[in-house]
Structure formats: C-alpha cells, structure tokens
Amino acid sequence: MMVKTDKRARATLFRSRLREAMGKKRMSQSALARAIGVDRSTVSQLLGGVGARLPNAQVVAECARSLGISADWLLGLTDRPETAADILANSLSLTEAPRAAVDAQIFDWHKEAAGYKIRHVPAAMPDMLKTRAMLEWEYAPHLGRSTDQVIGASEDRLDWMRNAQSDYEIAMPLYELHSFVRAEGYYRGLPLDVRRAQIARLIDVTGQLYPRLRLYLFDARRVYSAPITIFGPLLAVLYIGRNYMAFRDTERVQALTEHFDHLVREASVSDREMPDYLTDLAGDMRA
C-alpha cells in the first residue's frame, strides 16, 4: 500500500534536497538559475519558500538535469538520487575476462565478498581446487613464457580464497567430472597422472574443508546453468567467455541466488556423498 506524503512535507523535502544537491555540486543560485533558464529570484524562492507549493514539472526536471540527479529523488518519491540511467549503469557492468586461473577482477570480487557465502558454477573444473599440474596443462597455451610467474601469482590468490572466512558452495554438471576422468572433450589429452592427482586433490579438500566448502553435482539433462558466481548479497557475475557480466541490483542477485539454490536442491550427488563418489570415479580411471 502506497503511503501518501503530506504536501507541505513534500515541499519541505524538495527544498532540502535541492539545497543538498547544489551543495554537493558546488553550484550557486546564480549558476543554477542560468542552467535552468530562470531568474535568480526564482531559485531563491525555490530554496526559501514556505508552504506546500511545489514548482512546475518543467522546473523540477531542469533542476534535476542540471544537478545530475533524479527528479523523483527531488520530489521525495525515491531515496536514490541517481538518475535511472546511472542506476542501470551501476547495477550492470561488462568487464573483460582474461584467460587466467584467477584474474585480478575475480580476486577483487572475492576480497570484497570476504565473509559472505559464495556460490559458484564453474565453466570447467573449479580453479580454486586445481593442482599446479592441472593449472599448467590448462593455462600454459594462453600464458606463453610467463607461465610459472602467472600460475605462481594465481596460486597465491587461490590460497587466499581457500583460507578466507567465506563459505563456498560449488555446483557442477555430472558430465564435467565424467569427461575429466575419461579425458574426453575439453580434457582430451590430459595425462593420466594429472587426472589422478587432481581427483585425489578433490577428495582431500572436499573432506578436509567440509562444511565450509560444499561440492554438488547436478544432472544437466534435468537442470542447466551457465557459469556463474554469486558473491553473497553484493553481486552476481555471469561468465560469457571474453567478458564477465556483473549484476549489483538486489532483484537480479536474488534471482540468480534462487537459481543456484535450485541446482543444489536438484543435485544428483550431494555434498556429503562427494568423497565416496569421487573415490569410485578414481577407481574407474584409465589412460
């Protein structure tokens, strides 16, 4: 139910917010008058008037445009001073996604969300759970001569993420692990010893770090997810290849959180079942 605001209170709020916006912009009454095409005395009346009278829509709109704020905020219809365009720009951003284990942007987002639960659907095997040999096999073609240096930096970031005070939930499609174990598809050519060491790492960390780290497997024939990371209530990031699409508005972060929680509810292999499931997979591994 919408609560009606008394006209006098709204007029008082308008004058207060107009004065606040002018102060932040360091705009004088004369400067605002020139910007909106009125006499200085008109601006004085806007700021110092009394009673319930508000300026006409044209004056309100020109004031908002000149001060870079929302007309709705000036009128007390919202608590956000940004314009609609600014709100949209701040809630959605497109960021370059370099081909690296843990690039600077991802690491910054992890640090920003330290202490919050982080939900993650990786594009392949989860980077934070990979062995060094796995990182080298996967990223060496993209890093050239700087492989050791870059992977060393990535390992430092991965160690920070593992030791941060965040809980991690990771959901993967079943076929990803099966392809990995059999060296099929994306993992074609991955040596047997690297695969065995990687599965051993997964068995170790899923047991050692539980319940702070919980790994689930879902059947992609029943449910699907694009690669996504949800950093608590702060933001949700879709990985689309060359770019990250980051959402910061509450509605979209909540919607993507609910999407992830649905994957967990529909998981074919739960977090508690993971160590035994991985052990069985390791027993079936062949060259």
PDB file of all heavy atoms in Angstrom, residues 254-277:
ATOM      1  N   GLN A 254      19.285 -11.669  -6.203  1.00  0.00           N
ATOM      2  CA  GLN A 254      18.394 -12.611  -5.522  1.00  0.00           C
ATOM      3  C   GLN A 254      17.876 -13.676  -6.487  1.00  0.00           C
ATOM      4  O   GLN A 254      17.801 -14.858  -6.145  1.00  0.00           O
ATOM      5  CB  GLN A 254      17.217 -11.858  -4.895  1.00  0.00           C
ATOM      6  CG  GLN A 254      16.250 -12.743  -4.104  1.00  0.00           C
ATOM      7  CD  GLN A 254      16.916 -13.472  -2.964  1.00  0.00           C
ATOM      8  OE1 GLN A 254      17.770 -12.910  -2.281  1.00  0.00           O
ATOM      9  NE2 GLN A 254      16.549 -14.728  -2.758  1.00  0.00           N
ATOM     10  N   ALA A 255      17.522 -13.266  -7.703  1.00  0.00           N
ATOM     11  CA  ALA A 255      17.016 -14.225  -8.687  1.00  0.00           C
ATOM     12  C   ALA A 255      18.075 -15.274  -9.030  1.00  0.00           C
ATOM     13  O   ALA A 255      17.777 -16.471  -9.130  1.00  0.00           O
ATOM     14  CB  ALA A 255      16.569 -13.492  -9.948  1.00  0.00           C
ATOM     15  N   LEU A 256      19.313 -14.847  -9.198  1.00  0.00           N
ATOM     16  CA  LEU A 256      20.385 -15.779  -9.541  1.00  0.00           C
ATOM     17  C   LEU A 256      20.763 -16.642  -8.332  1.00  0.00           C
ATOM     18  O   LEU A 256      21.185 -17.792  -8.489  1.00  0.00           O
ATOM     19  CB  LEU A 256      21.590 -15.010 -10.072  1.00  0.00           C
ATOM     20  CG  LEU A 256      21.329 -14.371 -11.449  1.00  0.00           C
ATOM     21  CD1 LEU A 256      22.462 -13.403 -11.822  1.00  0.00           C
ATOM     22  CD2 LEU A 256      21.166 -15.432 -12.523  1.00  0.00           C
ATOM     23  N   THR A 257      20.622 -16.098  -7.131  1.00  0.00           N
ATOM     24  CA  THR A 257      20.835 -16.895  -5.921  1.00  0.00           C
ATOM     25  C   THR A 257      19.806 -18.014  -5.851  1.00  0.00           C
ATOM     26  O   THR A 257      20.136 -19.169  -5.534  1.00  0.00           O
ATOM     27  CB  THR A 257      20.745 -16.015  -4.668  1.00  0.00           C
ATOM     28  OG1 THR A 257      21.761 -15.004  -4.711  1.00  0.00           O
ATOM     29  CG2 THR A 257      20.932 -16.839  -3.402  1.00  0.00           C
ATOM     30  N   GLU A 258      18.554 -17.680  -6.141  1.00  0.00           N
ATOM     31  CA  GLU A 258      17.496 -18.705  -6.135  1.00  0.00           C
ATOM     32  C   GLU A 258      17.755 -19.757  -7.211  1.00  0.00           C
ATOM     33  O   GLU A 258      17.488 -20.949  -7.002  1.00  0.00           O
ATOM     34  CB  GLU A 258      16.138 -18.035  -6.341  1.00  0.00           C
ATOM     35  CG  GLU A 258      15.705 -17.178  -5.159  1.00  0.00           C
ATOM     36  CD  GLU A 258      14.441 -16.398  -5.427  1.00  0.00           C
ATOM     37  OE1 GLU A 258      13.878 -16.546  -6.547  1.00  0.00           O
ATOM     38  OE2 GLU A 258      13.999 -15.638  -4.539  1.00  0.00           O
ATOM     39  N   HIS A 259      18.283 -19.318  -8.364  1.00  0.00           N
ATOM     40  CA  HIS A 259      18.643 -20.270  -9.421  1.00  0.00           C
ATOM     41  C   HIS A 259      19.690 -21.251  -8.906  1.00  0.00           C
ATOM     42  O   HIS A 259      19.569 -22.472  -9.098  1.00  0.00           O
ATOM     43  CB  HIS A 259      19.175 -19.517 -10.638  1.00  0.00           C
ATOM     44  CG  HIS A 259      20.001 -20.348 -11.561  1.00  0.00           C
ATOM     45  ND1 HIS A 259      19.463 -21.301 -12.401  1.00  0.00           N
ATOM     46  CD2 HIS A 259      21.354 -20.394 -11.765  1.00  0.00           C
ATOM     47  CE1 HIS A 259      20.430 -21.885 -13.092  1.00  0.00           C
ATOM     48  NE2 HIS A 259      21.572 -21.360 -12.719  1.00  0.00           N
ATOM     49  N   PHE A 260      20.724 -20.747  -8.245  1.00  0.00           N
ATOM     50  CA  PHE A 260      21.772 -21.629  -7.735  1.00  0.00           C
ATOM     51  C   PHE A 260      21.204 -22.578  -6.675  1.00  0.00           C
ATOM     52  O   PHE A 260      21.509 -23.778  -6.683  1.00  0.00           O
ATOM     53  CB  PHE A 260      22.917 -20.808  -7.141  1.00  0.00           C
ATOM     54  CG  PHE A 260      24.053 -21.657  -6.643  1.00  0.00           C
ATOM     55  CD1 PHE A 260      25.129 -21.956  -7.468  1.00  0.00           C
ATOM     56  CD2 PHE A 260      24.040 -22.184  -5.357  1.00  0.00           C
ATOM     57  CE1 PHE A 260      26.170 -22.770  -7.024  1.00  0.00           C
ATOM     58  CE2 PHE A 260      25.071 -23.002  -4.902  1.00  0.00           C
ATOM     59  CZ  PHE A 260      26.140 -23.287  -5.738  1.00  0.00           C
ATOM     60  N   ASP A 261      20.414 -22.052  -5.765  1.00  0.00           N
ATOM     61  CA  ASP A 261      19.850 -22.897  -4.705  1.00  0.00           C
ATOM     62  C   ASP A 261      18.985 -24.000  -5.299  1.00  0.00           C
ATOM     63  O   ASP A 261      18.898 -25.103  -4.739  1.00  0.00           O
ATOM     64  CB  ASP A 261      19.047 -22.041  -3.727  1.00  0.00           C
ATOM     65  CG  ASP A 261      19.939 -21.113  -2.894  1.00  0.00           C
ATOM     66  OD1 ASP A 261      21.162 -21.336  -2.884  1.00  0.00           O
ATOM     67  OD2 ASP A 261      19.398 -20.178  -2.272  1.00  0.00           O
ATOM     68  N   HIS A 262      18.348 -23.731  -6.451  1.00  0.00           N
ATOM     69  CA  HIS A 262      17.568 -24.770  -7.137  1.00  0.00           C
ATOM     70  C   HIS A 262      18.501 -25.879  -7.636  1.00  0.00           C
ATOM     71  O   HIS A 262      18.161 -27.067  -7.542  1.00  0.00           O
ATOM     72  CB  HIS A 262      16.801 -24.156  -8.302  1.00  0.00           C
ATOM     73  CG  HIS A 262      16.039 -25.149  -9.122  1.00  0.00           C
ATOM     74  ND1 HIS A 262      14.926 -25.818  -8.649  1.00  0.00           N
ATOM     75  CD2 HIS A 262      16.244 -25.604 -10.394  1.00  0.00           C
ATOM     76  CE1 HIS A 262      14.473 -26.632  -9.586  1.00  0.00           C
ATOM     77  NE2 HIS A 262      15.245 -26.525 -10.644  1.00  0.00           N
ATOM     78  N   LEU A 263      19.667 -25.517  -8.151  1.00  0.00           N
ATOM     79  CA  LEU A 263      20.639 -26.524  -8.585  1.00  0.00           C
ATOM     80  C   LEU A 263      21.027 -27.436  -7.421  1.00  0.00           C
ATOM     81  O   LEU A 263      21.161 -28.654  -7.582  1.00  0.00           O
ATOM     82  CB  LEU A 263      21.905 -25.844  -9.132  1.00  0.00           C
ATOM     83  CG  LEU A 263      21.780 -24.998 -10.396  1.00  0.00           C
ATOM     84  CD1 LEU A 263      23.140 -24.376 -10.731  1.00  0.00           C
ATOM     85  CD2 LEU A 263      21.267 -25.815 -11.570  1.00  0.00           C
ATOM     86  N   VAL A 264      21.222 -26.831  -6.250  1.00  0.00           N
ATOM     87  CA  VAL A 264      21.612 -27.608  -5.060  1.00  0.00           C
ATOM     88  C   VAL A 264      20.484 -28.557  -4.655  1.00  0.00           C
ATOM     89  O   VAL A 264      20.723 -29.735  -4.349  1.00  0.00           O
ATOM     90  CB  VAL A 264      21.985 -26.662  -3.901  1.00  0.00           C
ATOM     91  CG1 VAL A 264      22.151 -27.447  -2.597  1.00  0.00           C
ATOM     92  CG2 VAL A 264      23.271 -25.913  -4.230  1.00  0.00           C
ATOM     93  N   ARG A 265      19.261 -28.047  -4.664  1.00  0.00           N
ATOM     94  CA  ARG A 265      18.123 -28.901  -4.286  1.00  0.00           C
ATOM     95  C   ARG A 265      17.952 -30.069  -5.254  1.00  0.00           C
ATOM     96  O   ARG A 265      17.535 -31.163  -4.850  1.00  0.00           O
ATOM     97  CB  ARG A 265      16.827 -28.084  -4.236  1.00  0.00           C
ATOM     98  CG  ARG A 265      16.731 -27.127  -3.066  1.00  0.00           C
ATOM     99  CD  ARG A 265      15.309 -26.598  -2.904  1.00  0.00           C
ATOM    100  NE  ARG A 265      14.853 -25.873  -4.079  1.00  0.00           N
ATOM    101  CZ  ARG A 265      15.039 -24.583  -4.271  1.00  0.00           C
ATOM    102  NH1 ARG A 265      15.688 -23.869  -3.359  1.00  0.00           N
ATOM    103  NH2 ARG A 265      14.591 -23.979  -5.358  1.00  0.00           N
ATOM    104  N   GLU A 266      18.272 -29.830  -6.531  1.00  0.00           N
ATOM    105  CA  GLU A 266      18.100 -30.860  -7.556  1.00  0.00           C
ATOM    106  C   GLU A 266      19.364 -31.696  -7.777  1.00  0.00           C
ATOM    107  O   GLU A 266      19.414 -32.508  -8.713  1.00  0.00           O
ATOM    108  CB  GLU A 266      17.708 -30.202  -8.882  1.00  0.00           C
ATOM    109  CG  GLU A 266      16.342 -29.511  -8.867  1.00  0.00           C
ATOM    110  CD  GLU A 266      15.211 -30.504  -8.677  1.00  0.00           C
ATOM    111  OE1 GLU A 266      15.267 -31.583  -9.290  1.00  0.00           O
ATOM    112  OE2 GLU A 266      14.282 -30.200  -7.902  1.00  0.00           O
ATOM    113  N   ALA A 267      20.372 -31.521  -6.956  1.00  0.00           N
ATOM    114  CA  ALA A 267      21.655 -32.199  -7.162  1.00  0.00           C
ATOM    115  C   ALA A 267      21.483 -33.714  -7.151  1.00  0.00           C
ATOM    116  O   ALA A 267      20.779 -34.280  -6.310  1.00  0.00           O
ATOM    117  CB  ALA A 267      22.640 -31.771  -6.084  1.00  0.00           C
ATOM    118  N   SER A 268      22.160 -34.372  -8.088  1.00  0.00           N
ATOM    119  CA  SER A 268      22.153 -35.838  -8.136  1.00  0.00           C
ATOM    120  C   SER A 268      23.150 -36.426  -7.146  1.00  0.00           C
ATOM    121  O   SER A 268      22.979 -37.555  -6.670  1.00  0.00           O
ATOM    122  CB  SER A 268      22.496 -36.311  -9.551  1.00  0.00           C
ATOM    123  OG  SER A 268      21.545 -35.838 -10.483  1.00  0.00           O
ATOM    124  N   VAL A 269      24.214 -35.655  -6.858  1.00  0.00           N
ATOM    125  CA  VAL A 269      25.213 -36.061  -5.867  1.00  0.00           C
ATOM    126  C   VAL A 269      25.344 -34.912  -4.871  1.00  0.00           C
ATOM    127  O   VAL A 269      25.703 -33.794  -5.244  1.00  0.00           O
ATOM    128  CB  VAL A 269      26.580 -36.358  -6.521  1.00  0.00           C
ATOM    129  CG1 VAL A 269      27.589 -36.790  -5.462  1.00  0.00           C
ATOM    130  CG2 VAL A 269      26.442 -37.435  -7.596  1.00  0.00           C
ATOM    131  N   SER A 270      25.047 -35.186  -3.610  1.00  0.00           N
ATOM    132  CA  SER A 270      25.078 -34.141  -2.594  1.00  0.00           C
ATOM    133  C   SER A 270      26.492 -33.914  -2.079  1.00  0.00           C
ATOM    134  O   SER A 270      27.415 -34.689  -2.365  1.00  0.00           O
ATOM    135  CB  SER A 270      24.168 -34.512  -1.423  1.00  0.00           C
ATOM    136  OG  SER A 270      24.744 -35.581  -0.682  1.00  0.00           O
ATOM    137  N   ASP A 271      26.648 -32.874  -1.289  1.00  0.00           N
ATOM    138  CA  ASP A 271      27.957 -32.569  -0.710  1.00  0.00           C
ATOM    139  C   ASP A 271      28.472 -33.710   0.169  1.00  0.00           C
ATOM    140  O   ASP A 271      29.660 -34.028   0.144  1.00  0.00           O
ATOM    141  CB  ASP A 271      27.887 -31.255   0.086  1.00  0.00           C
ATOM    142  CG  ASP A 271      26.753 -31.241   1.104  1.00  0.00           C
ATOM    143  OD1 ASP A 271      25.837 -32.084   1.008  1.00  0.00           O
ATOM    144  OD2 ASP A 271      26.779 -30.379   2.000  1.00  0.00           O
ATOM    145  N   ARG A 272      27.598 -34.344   0.918  1.00  0.00           N
ATOM    146  CA  ARG A 272      28.024 -35.442   1.800  1.00  0.00           C
ATOM    147  C   ARG A 272      28.429 -36.683   1.014  1.00  0.00           C
ATOM    148  O   ARG A 272      29.220 -37.499   1.493  1.00  0.00           O
ATOM    149  CB  ARG A 272      26.893 -35.790   2.770  1.00  0.00           C
ATOM    150  CG  ARG A 272      26.586 -34.683   3.789  1.00  0.00           C
ATOM    151  CD  ARG A 272      25.436 -35.086   4.703  1.00  0.00           C
ATOM    152  NE  ARG A 272      25.122 -34.054   5.666  1.00  0.00           N
ATOM    153  CZ  ARG A 272      25.730 -33.905   6.836  1.00  0.00           C
ATOM    154  NH1 ARG A 272      26.691 -34.752   7.174  1.00  0.00           N
ATOM    155  NH2 ARG A 272      25.373 -32.955   7.671  1.00  0.00           N
ATOM    156  N   GLU A 273      27.878 -36.838  -0.172  1.00  0.00           N
ATOM    157  CA  GLU A 273      28.175 -38.025  -0.985  1.00  0.00           C
ATOM    158  C   GLU A 273      29.421 -37.864  -1.839  1.00  0.00           C
ATOM    159  O   GLU A 273      29.909 -38.849  -2.413  1.00  0.00           O
ATOM    160  CB  GLU A 273      26.979 -38.321  -1.903  1.00  0.00           C
ATOM    161  CG  GLU A 273      25.703 -38.672  -1.165  1.00  0.00           C
ATOM    162  CD  GLU A 273      24.490 -38.709  -2.085  1.00  0.00           C
ATOM    163  OE1 GLU A 273      24.452 -37.902  -3.039  1.00  0.00           O
ATOM    164  OE2 GLU A 273      23.595 -39.545  -1.855  1.00  0.00           O
ATOM    165  N   MET A 274      29.948 -36.626  -1.937  1.00  0.00           N
ATOM    166  CA  MET A 274      31.029 -36.347  -2.875  1.00  0.00           C
ATOM    167  C   MET A 274      32.286 -37.182  -2.658  1.00  0.00           C
ATOM    168  O   MET A 274      32.831 -37.738  -3.621  1.00  0.00           O
ATOM    169  CB  MET A 274      31.377 -34.860  -2.866  1.00  0.00           C
ATOM    170  CG  MET A 274      30.458 -34.003  -3.711  1.00  0.00           C
ATOM    171  SD  MET A 274      30.344 -34.524  -5.445  1.00  0.00           S
ATOM    172  CE  MET A 274      32.061 -34.419  -5.927  1.00  0.00           C
ATOM    173  N   PRO A 275      32.825 -37.285  -1.430  1.00  0.00           N
ATOM    174  CA  PRO A 275      34.074 -38.062  -1.278  1.00  0.00           C
ATOM    175  C   PRO A 275      33.958 -39.487  -1.799  1.00  0.00           C
ATOM    176  O   PRO A 275      34.845 -39.975  -2.514  1.00  0.00           O
ATOM    177  CB  PRO A 275      34.321 -38.019   0.238  1.00  0.00           C
ATOM    178  CG  PRO A 275      33.665 -36.739   0.681  1.00  0.00           C
ATOM    179  CD  PRO A 275      32.422 -36.640  -0.166  1.00  0.00           C
ATOM    180  N   ASP A 276      32.867 -40.186  -1.455  1.00  0.00           N
ATOM    181  CA  ASP A 276      32.687 -41.570  -1.920  1.00  0.00           C
ATOM    182  C   ASP A 276      32.502 -41.615  -3.433  1.00  0.00           C
ATOM    183  O   ASP A 276      33.027 -42.519  -4.108  1.00  0.00           O
ATOM    184  CB  ASP A 276      31.482 -42.216  -1.230  1.00  0.00           C
ATOM    185  CG  ASP A 276      31.731 -42.495   0.242  1.00  0.00           C
ATOM    186  OD1 ASP A 276      32.917 -42.528   0.638  1.00  0.00           O
ATOM    187  OD2 ASP A 276      30.745 -42.647   0.983  1.00  0.00           O
ATOM    188  N   TYR A 277      31.759 -40.653  -3.973  1.00  0.00           N
ATOM    189  CA  TYR A 277      31.522 -40.615  -5.424  1.00  0.00           C
ATOM    190  C   TYR A 277      32.844 -40.403  -6.166  1.00  0.00           C
ATOM    191  O   TYR A 277      33.117 -41.060  -7.174  1.00  0.00           O
ATOM    192  CB  TYR A 277      30.537 -39.497  -5.752  1.00  0.00           C
ATOM    193  CG  TYR A 277      30.056 -39.515  -7.181  1.00  0.00           C
ATOM    194  CD1 TYR A 277      29.021 -40.348  -7.572  1.00  0.00           C
ATOM    195  CD2 TYR A 277      30.655 -38.708  -8.150  1.00  0.00           C
ATOM    196  CE1 TYR A 277      28.575 -40.374  -8.888  1.00  0.00           C
ATOM    197  CE2 TYR A 277      30.213 -38.725  -9.471  1.00  0.00           C
ATOM    198  CZ  TYR A 277      29.180 -39.562  -9.827  1.00  0.00           C
ATOM    199  OH  TYR A 277      28.743 -39.594 -11.129  1.00  0.00           O
TER     200      TYR A 277
END
